[in-house]
Amino acid sequence: MNELVFVGLGLNDEKGITIKGLEETKTADQVFMENYTSRMPNFSLKRFESFCGKKIQIVDRQTLEEENGKLILKAAKEGKTVFLVPGDPFIATTHVALRIDAEKQGIKTRLVHGISIISAIVSMSGLHNYKFGKTVTVPFPENFSKTPYNVVAQNKSIGLHTLCLLDLKAYKKEYLSINQALKMLLEIEARNKRNIITPENIAVGIARAGNNNPTLKADYISDLLNFDFGQPPYSLIIPGELHFMEVEALIAFADAPRTFKRLSK
């Protein structure tokens, strides 16, 4: 059977894959995996290969973006091919492009979802899913952009929360920290003076979502700047208007100060 099956791996280790995803992997002729869009802290390639009984071919960003995934598409024309992706396969637009190319070339594609950071942060924080606006990535300082600040401003204008995904260079093991991201956003605020992100505003930092020992901390930005979130990966939420139940959840789950109670609408 000539087809390409996209399988989500989840967030933390090789046990995050669904039973359906594992079955698809075990019956594949060739299996590829990318490890550059996110970091899975406790993932072991050796354990996973033993788990599924397959040799996994690791592909880098160049293979998927600069070479348009030709290696994977060639394999899919020859037999059943599984492409393993951290989290959920189509949160990264790179993989959407690969699926489109496959369909254009007459390759049947299927999808097995995995746990995504987007659903995980809602479950962990207790913030309401329907109150999140546009998601944005905060880049490293050398790729400075006002876009994250502008997205937060847009979301806040209609009372919505903003999920900020923080940049990473997995091949260098470099990860933008929550503290760095907050400092960058404050620097943009200092120049724009729109009262969008100030030390008195609140934020929620998340590290190692999906891990047995994640860090979830909500506080005023001034207090989060020096908070130790531990090891990556990291995500950041800038809340909009808070429902009283969201406030209670942040106090209960994210160790938010009780002064948050005055913030609820």
Side-chain angles (χ1 to χ4, degrees), residues 120-165:
I121 59 100
V122 173
S123 301
M124 290 178 65
S125 68
L127 297 177
H128 296 168
N129 180 56
Y130 62 84
K131 290 182 64 181
F132 276 83
K134 183 178 179 180
T135 298
V136 69
T137 297
V138 181
F140 283 103
E142 58 266 30
N143 297 317
F144 174 82
S145 170
K146 281 184 61 177
T147 298
Y149 179 88
N150 291 335
V151 169
V152 172
Q154 180 183 9
N155 287 339
K156 272 195 167 186
S157 70
I158 49 178
L160 299 180
H161 312 318
T162 305
L163 169 60
C164 299
L165 303 176

Short mmCIF file of all heavy atoms in Angstrom, two decimals, residues 120-165:
data_model
loop_
_atom_site.label_atom_id
_atom_site.label_comp_id
_atom_site.label_asym_id
_atom_site.label_seq_id
_atom_site.Cartn_x
_atom_site.Cartn_y
_atom_site.Cartn_z
N ALA A 120 -2.77 20.83 25.82
CA ALA A 120 -2.14 20.59 27.11
C ALA A 120 -2.15 21.82 28.01
O ALA A 120 -2.42 21.72 29.21
CB ALA A 120 -0.71 20.10 26.91
N ILE A 121 -1.87 22.99 27.43
CA ILE A 121 -1.81 24.19 28.28
C ILE A 121 -3.20 24.56 28.81
O ILE A 121 -3.32 25.11 29.90
CB ILE A 121 -1.16 25.39 27.55
CG1 ILE A 121 -1.92 25.77 26.27
CG2 ILE A 121 0.29 25.09 27.23
CD1 ILE A 121 -2.82 26.95 26.46
N VAL A 122 -4.24 24.26 28.04
CA VAL A 122 -5.60 24.51 28.53
C VAL A 122 -5.91 23.58 29.69
O VAL A 122 -6.40 24.00 30.74
CB VAL A 122 -6.63 24.33 27.40
CG1 VAL A 122 -8.05 24.42 27.94
CG2 VAL A 122 -6.41 25.37 26.31
N SER A 123 -5.60 22.29 29.53
CA SER A 123 -5.86 21.31 30.58
C SER A 123 -5.07 21.63 31.85
O SER A 123 -5.58 21.51 32.96
CB SER A 123 -5.50 19.91 30.09
OG SER A 123 -6.24 19.57 28.94
N MET A 124 -3.81 22.02 31.69
CA MET A 124 -2.96 22.29 32.84
C MET A 124 -3.35 23.54 33.59
O MET A 124 -3.38 23.56 34.82
CB MET A 124 -1.50 22.40 32.40
CG MET A 124 -0.87 21.10 31.95
SD MET A 124 0.84 21.35 31.40
CE MET A 124 1.63 21.85 32.92
N SER A 125 -3.63 24.61 32.85
CA SER A 125 -3.83 25.92 33.48
C SER A 125 -5.24 26.13 34.01
O SER A 125 -5.44 26.92 34.94
CB SER A 125 -3.51 27.03 32.47
OG SER A 125 -4.47 27.03 31.42
N GLY A 126 -6.22 25.45 33.42
CA GLY A 126 -7.61 25.70 33.81
C GLY A 126 -8.21 26.91 33.11
O GLY A 126 -9.36 27.27 33.37
N LEU A 127 -7.45 27.54 32.21
CA LEU A 127 -8.01 28.64 31.42
C LEU A 127 -8.95 28.07 30.37
O LEU A 127 -8.77 26.95 29.89
CB LEU A 127 -6.89 29.44 30.75
CG LEU A 127 -5.91 30.14 31.70
CD1 LEU A 127 -4.81 30.84 30.92
CD2 LEU A 127 -6.63 31.13 32.60
N HIS A 128 -9.97 28.83 30.01
CA HIS A 128 -11.00 28.33 29.12
C HIS A 128 -10.52 28.33 27.67
O HIS A 128 -10.06 29.36 27.16
CB HIS A 128 -12.26 29.19 29.25
CG HIS A 128 -12.87 29.11 30.61
ND1 HIS A 128 -13.86 29.97 31.05
CD2 HIS A 128 -12.65 28.26 31.66
CE1 HIS A 128 -14.21 29.66 32.28
NE2 HIS A 128 -13.48 28.64 32.67
N ASN A 129 -10.68 27.21 27.01
CA ASN A 129 -10.19 27.05 25.64
C ASN A 129 -10.80 28.08 24.69
O ASN A 129 -10.11 28.62 23.82
CB ASN A 129 -10.52 25.64 25.15
CG ASN A 129 -10.06 25.40 23.74
OD1 ASN A 129 -8.88 25.56 23.43
ND2 ASN A 129 -10.97 25.03 22.87
N TYR A 130 -12.09 28.37 24.84
CA TYR A 130 -12.77 29.28 23.91
C TYR A 130 -12.36 30.73 24.11
O TYR A 130 -12.77 31.61 23.34
CB TYR A 130 -14.29 29.14 24.03
CG TYR A 130 -14.85 29.50 25.39
CD1 TYR A 130 -15.15 30.82 25.71
CD2 TYR A 130 -15.13 28.52 26.34
CE1 TYR A 130 -15.66 31.16 26.95
CE2 TYR A 130 -15.65 28.85 27.58
CZ TYR A 130 -15.92 30.17 27.88
OH TYR A 130 -16.43 30.49 29.10
N LYS A 131 -11.52 31.00 25.12
CA LYS A 131 -11.09 32.38 25.36
C LYS A 131 -9.66 32.63 24.89
O LYS A 131 -9.08 33.67 25.20
CB LYS A 131 -11.22 32.71 26.85
CG LYS A 131 -12.68 32.82 27.30
CD LYS A 131 -12.79 33.21 28.75
CE LYS A 131 -12.22 34.60 29.00
NZ LYS A 131 -12.29 34.98 30.43
N PHE A 132 -9.10 31.69 24.12
CA PHE A 132 -7.78 31.91 23.54
C PHE A 132 -7.92 32.51 22.14
O PHE A 132 -8.72 32.03 21.34
CB PHE A 132 -6.99 30.60 23.45
CG PHE A 132 -6.29 30.25 24.73
CD1 PHE A 132 -6.97 29.61 25.76
CD2 PHE A 132 -4.95 30.58 24.93
CE1 PHE A 132 -6.34 29.28 26.95
CE2 PHE A 132 -4.31 30.26 26.11
CZ PHE A 132 -5.00 29.61 27.13
N GLY A 133 -7.13 33.54 21.88
CA GLY A 133 -7.11 34.14 20.56
C GLY A 133 -5.99 33.55 19.72
O GLY A 133 -5.61 32.39 19.89
N LYS A 134 -5.46 34.35 18.84
CA LYS A 134 -4.39 33.91 17.94
C LYS A 134 -3.15 33.51 18.71
O LYS A 134 -2.74 34.18 19.66
CB LYS A 134 -4.06 35.04 16.97
CG LYS A 134 -3.02 34.70 15.92
CD LYS A 134 -2.82 35.89 14.98
CE LYS A 134 -1.76 35.57 13.93
NZ LYS A 134 -1.55 36.74 13.02
N THR A 135 -2.53 32.39 18.31
CA THR A 135 -1.27 31.93 18.90
C THR A 135 -0.10 32.58 18.15
O THR A 135 -0.19 32.85 16.95
CB THR A 135 -1.16 30.40 18.80
OG1 THR A 135 -2.23 29.81 19.55
CG2 THR A 135 0.16 29.89 19.34
N VAL A 136 1.00 32.82 18.87
CA VAL A 136 2.15 33.48 18.24
C VAL A 136 3.44 32.85 18.75
O VAL A 136 3.48 32.31 19.86
CB VAL A 136 2.13 35.00 18.52
CG1 VAL A 136 2.41 35.30 19.99
CG2 VAL A 136 3.09 35.75 17.62
N THR A 137 4.49 32.91 17.94
CA THR A 137 5.82 32.44 18.35
C THR A 137 6.70 33.64 18.69
O THR A 137 6.76 34.60 17.93
CB THR A 137 6.48 31.62 17.23
OG1 THR A 137 5.71 30.45 16.98
CG2 THR A 137 7.89 31.19 17.63
N VAL A 138 7.35 33.56 19.84
CA VAL A 138 8.32 34.60 20.22
C VAL A 138 9.70 34.13 19.78
O VAL A 138 10.18 33.09 20.24
CB VAL A 138 8.31 34.84 21.74
CG1 VAL A 138 9.31 35.95 22.11
CG2 VAL A 138 6.91 35.21 22.22
N PRO A 139 10.36 34.86 18.87
CA PRO A 139 11.66 34.42 18.33
C PRO A 139 12.82 34.80 19.24
O PRO A 139 12.68 35.58 20.18
CB PRO A 139 11.73 35.17 17.00
CG PRO A 139 11.01 36.45 17.28
CD PRO A 139 9.89 36.09 18.22
N PHE A 140 13.99 34.26 18.93
CA PHE A 140 15.20 34.66 19.63
C PHE A 140 15.49 36.14 19.33
O PHE A 140 15.07 36.67 18.30
CB PHE A 140 16.39 33.80 19.17
CG PHE A 140 16.41 32.42 19.76
CD1 PHE A 140 16.02 31.32 19.00
CD2 PHE A 140 16.81 32.22 21.07
CE1 PHE A 140 16.04 30.04 19.55
CE2 PHE A 140 16.83 30.95 21.63
CZ PHE A 140 16.44 29.86 20.87
N PRO A 141 16.23 36.82 20.23
CA PRO A 141 16.52 38.25 20.05
C PRO A 141 17.12 38.60 18.69
O PRO A 141 16.84 39.66 18.13
CB PRO A 141 17.49 38.56 21.19
CG PRO A 141 17.15 37.56 22.25
CD PRO A 141 16.79 36.31 21.50
N GLU A 142 17.96 37.70 18.13
CA GLU A 142 18.60 38.01 16.84
C GLU A 142 17.60 38.04 15.69
O GLU A 142 17.91 38.55 14.61
CB GLU A 142 19.72 37.02 16.54
CG GLU A 142 19.29 35.57 16.49
CD GLU A 142 19.47 34.85 17.80
OE1 GLU A 142 19.38 35.50 18.85
OE2 GLU A 142 19.72 33.62 17.77
N ASN A 143 16.42 37.49 15.92
CA ASN A 143 15.35 37.54 14.92
C ASN A 143 14.20 38.42 15.41
O ASN A 143 13.03 38.12 15.21
CB ASN A 143 14.83 36.12 14.62
CG ASN A 143 15.89 35.23 14.03
OD1 ASN A 143 16.64 35.65 13.15
ND2 ASN A 143 15.99 34.01 14.52
N PHE A 144 14.57 39.51 16.05
CA PHE A 144 13.61 40.39 16.71
C PHE A 144 12.40 40.72 15.83
O PHE A 144 12.52 40.99 14.63
CB PHE A 144 14.29 41.70 17.11
CG PHE A 144 13.34 42.72 17.67
CD1 PHE A 144 12.95 42.66 18.99
CD2 PHE A 144 12.81 43.71 16.85
CE1 PHE A 144 12.07 43.58 19.51
CE2 PHE A 144 11.92 44.65 17.37
CZ PHE A 144 11.55 44.57 18.70
N SER A 145 11.22 40.68 16.47
CA SER A 145 9.98 41.00 15.77
C SER A 145 8.98 41.60 16.76
O SER A 145 8.91 41.17 17.92
CB SER A 145 9.39 39.73 15.13
OG SER A 145 8.09 39.97 14.65
N LYS A 146 8.22 42.57 16.29
CA LYS A 146 7.16 43.15 17.11
C LYS A 146 5.87 42.33 17.03
O LYS A 146 4.91 42.62 17.74
CB LYS A 146 6.86 44.58 16.65
CG LYS A 146 7.84 45.63 17.15
CD LYS A 146 7.42 47.02 16.72
CE LYS A 146 6.05 47.40 17.27
NZ LYS A 146 5.66 48.78 16.91
N THR A 147 5.85 41.34 16.16
CA THR A 147 4.62 40.57 15.95
C THR A 147 4.04 39.99 17.23
O THR A 147 2.83 40.11 17.47
CB THR A 147 4.87 39.45 14.92
OG1 THR A 147 5.23 40.02 13.67
CG2 THR A 147 3.61 38.60 14.73
N PRO A 148 4.84 39.35 18.11
CA PRO A 148 4.25 38.82 19.34
C PRO A 148 3.53 39.88 20.17
O PRO A 148 2.43 39.64 20.67
CB PRO A 148 5.46 38.25 20.10
CG PRO A 148 6.45 37.93 19.03
CD PRO A 148 6.27 39.00 18.00
N TYR A 149 4.16 41.04 20.29
CA TYR A 149 3.55 42.14 21.05
C TYR A 149 2.24 42.57 20.40
O TYR A 149 1.22 42.78 21.08
CB TYR A 149 4.53 43.31 21.11
CG TYR A 149 4.03 44.53 21.84
CD1 TYR A 149 4.20 44.65 23.22
CD2 TYR A 149 3.40 45.58 21.17
CE1 TYR A 149 3.75 45.78 23.90
CE2 TYR A 149 2.94 46.70 21.83
CZ TYR A 149 3.12 46.80 23.20
OH TYR A 149 2.67 47.91 23.87
N ASN A 150 2.25 42.69 19.08
CA ASN A 150 1.05 43.12 18.37
C ASN A 150 -0.08 42.10 18.47
O ASN A 150 -1.26 42.47 18.57
CB ASN A 150 1.37 43.38 16.89
CG ASN A 150 2.25 44.60 16.70
OD1 ASN A 150 2.27 45.50 17.54
ND2 ASN A 150 3.00 44.64 15.61
N VAL A 151 0.28 40.82 18.46
CA VAL A 151 -0.74 39.77 18.59
C VAL A 151 -1.35 39.81 19.99
O VAL A 151 -2.58 39.70 20.14
CB VAL A 151 -0.14 38.38 18.29
CG1 VAL A 151 -1.11 37.27 18.70
CG2 VAL A 151 0.20 38.27 16.82
N VAL A 152 -0.52 39.97 21.01
CA VAL A 152 -1.04 40.08 22.37
C VAL A 152 -1.98 41.28 22.47
O VAL A 152 -3.06 41.20 23.07
CB VAL A 152 0.11 40.22 23.39
CG1 VAL A 152 -0.45 40.54 24.78
CG2 VAL A 152 0.94 38.94 23.44
N ALA A 153 -1.58 42.40 21.87
CA ALA A 153 -2.42 43.61 21.90
C ALA A 153 -3.76 43.35 21.22
O ALA A 153 -4.82 43.76 21.74
CB ALA A 153 -1.69 44.76 21.21
N GLN A 154 -3.72 42.68 20.08
CA GLN A 154 -4.96 42.38 19.35
C GLN A 154 -5.87 41.47 20.16
O GLN A 154 -7.07 41.72 20.27
CB GLN A 154 -4.61 41.72 18.02
CG GLN A 154 -5.82 41.36 17.16
CD GLN A 154 -5.42 40.64 15.89
OE1 GLN A 154 -4.27 40.25 15.71
NE2 GLN A 154 -6.37 40.43 15.01
N ASN A 155 -5.29 40.42 20.73
CA ASN A 155 -6.10 39.51 21.54
C ASN A 155 -6.67 40.19 22.78
O ASN A 155 -7.84 40.01 23.13
CB ASN A 155 -5.26 38.29 21.96
CG ASN A 155 -5.01 37.33 20.81
OD1 ASN A 155 -5.74 37.32 19.82
ND2 ASN A 155 -3.98 36.51 20.94
N LYS A 156 -5.83 40.98 23.45
CA LYS A 156 -6.28 41.66 24.67
C LYS A 156 -7.40 42.65 24.39
O LYS A 156 -8.28 42.87 25.24
CB LYS A 156 -5.11 42.40 25.33
CG LYS A 156 -4.31 41.54 26.30
CD LYS A 156 -3.42 42.43 27.16
CE LYS A 156 -2.85 41.66 28.34
NZ LYS A 156 -2.09 42.54 29.26
N SER A 157 -7.40 43.24 23.21
CA SER A 157 -8.42 44.24 22.88
C SER A 157 -9.82 43.66 22.88
O SER A 157 -10.81 44.38 23.02
CB SER A 157 -8.12 44.88 21.52
OG SER A 157 -8.34 43.95 20.46
N ILE A 158 -9.91 42.33 22.71
CA ILE A 158 -11.22 41.68 22.75
C ILE A 158 -11.29 40.67 23.90
O ILE A 158 -12.09 39.74 23.90
CB ILE A 158 -11.56 40.99 21.41
CG1 ILE A 158 -10.42 40.12 20.90
CG2 ILE A 158 -11.93 42.03 20.37
CD1 ILE A 158 -10.72 39.38 19.60
N GLY A 159 -10.39 40.85 24.88
CA GLY A 159 -10.48 40.07 26.11
C GLY A 159 -9.92 38.67 26.04
O GLY A 159 -10.17 37.86 26.95
N LEU A 160 -9.16 38.33 25.00
CA LEU A 160 -8.71 36.96 24.80
C LEU A 160 -7.29 36.72 25.31
O LEU A 160 -6.47 37.62 25.36
CB LEU A 160 -8.79 36.58 23.33
CG LEU A 160 -10.18 36.65 22.69
CD1 LEU A 160 -10.10 36.24 21.22
CD2 LEU A 160 -11.18 35.76 23.43
N HIS A 161 -7.04 35.46 25.68
CA HIS A 161 -5.71 35.04 26.11
C HIS A 161 -4.82 34.80 24.88
O HIS A 161 -5.31 34.48 23.79
CB HIS A 161 -5.77 33.74 26.91
CG HIS A 161 -6.80 33.72 27.99
ND1 HIS A 161 -7.05 34.80 28.82
CD2 HIS A 161 -7.68 32.73 28.38
CE1 HIS A 161 -8.00 34.48 29.67
NE2 HIS A 161 -8.40 33.23 29.42
N THR A 162 -3.49 34.89 25.10
CA THR A 162 -2.53 34.61 24.02
C THR A 162 -1.57 33.51 24.45
O THR A 162 -0.90 33.62 25.48
CB THR A 162 -1.71 35.87 23.68
OG1 THR A 162 -2.59 36.94 23.37
CG2 THR A 162 -0.79 35.59 22.48
N LEU A 163 -1.50 32.45 23.66
CA LEU A 163 -0.49 31.43 23.86
C LEU A 163 0.74 31.82 23.05
O LEU A 163 0.65 31.99 21.82
CB LEU A 163 -0.99 30.06 23.41
CG LEU A 163 0.09 28.95 23.34
CD1 LEU A 163 0.74 28.73 24.71
CD2 LEU A 163 -0.49 27.66 22.79
N CYS A 164 1.86 31.99 23.72
CA CYS A 164 3.12 32.31 23.06
C CYS A 164 4.01 31.06 23.06
O CYS A 164 4.41 30.57 24.12
CB CYS A 164 3.85 33.44 23.79
SG CYS A 164 2.93 34.99 23.88
N LEU A 165 4.28 30.55 21.87
CA LEU A 165 5.22 29.45 21.72
C LEU A 165 6.62 30.05 21.63
O LEU A 165 6.83 31.01 20.89
CB LEU A 165 4.90 28.64 20.46
CG LEU A 165 3.48 28.07 20.39
CD1 LEU A 165 3.25 27.38 19.06
CD2 LEU A 165 3.21 27.12 21.54
#
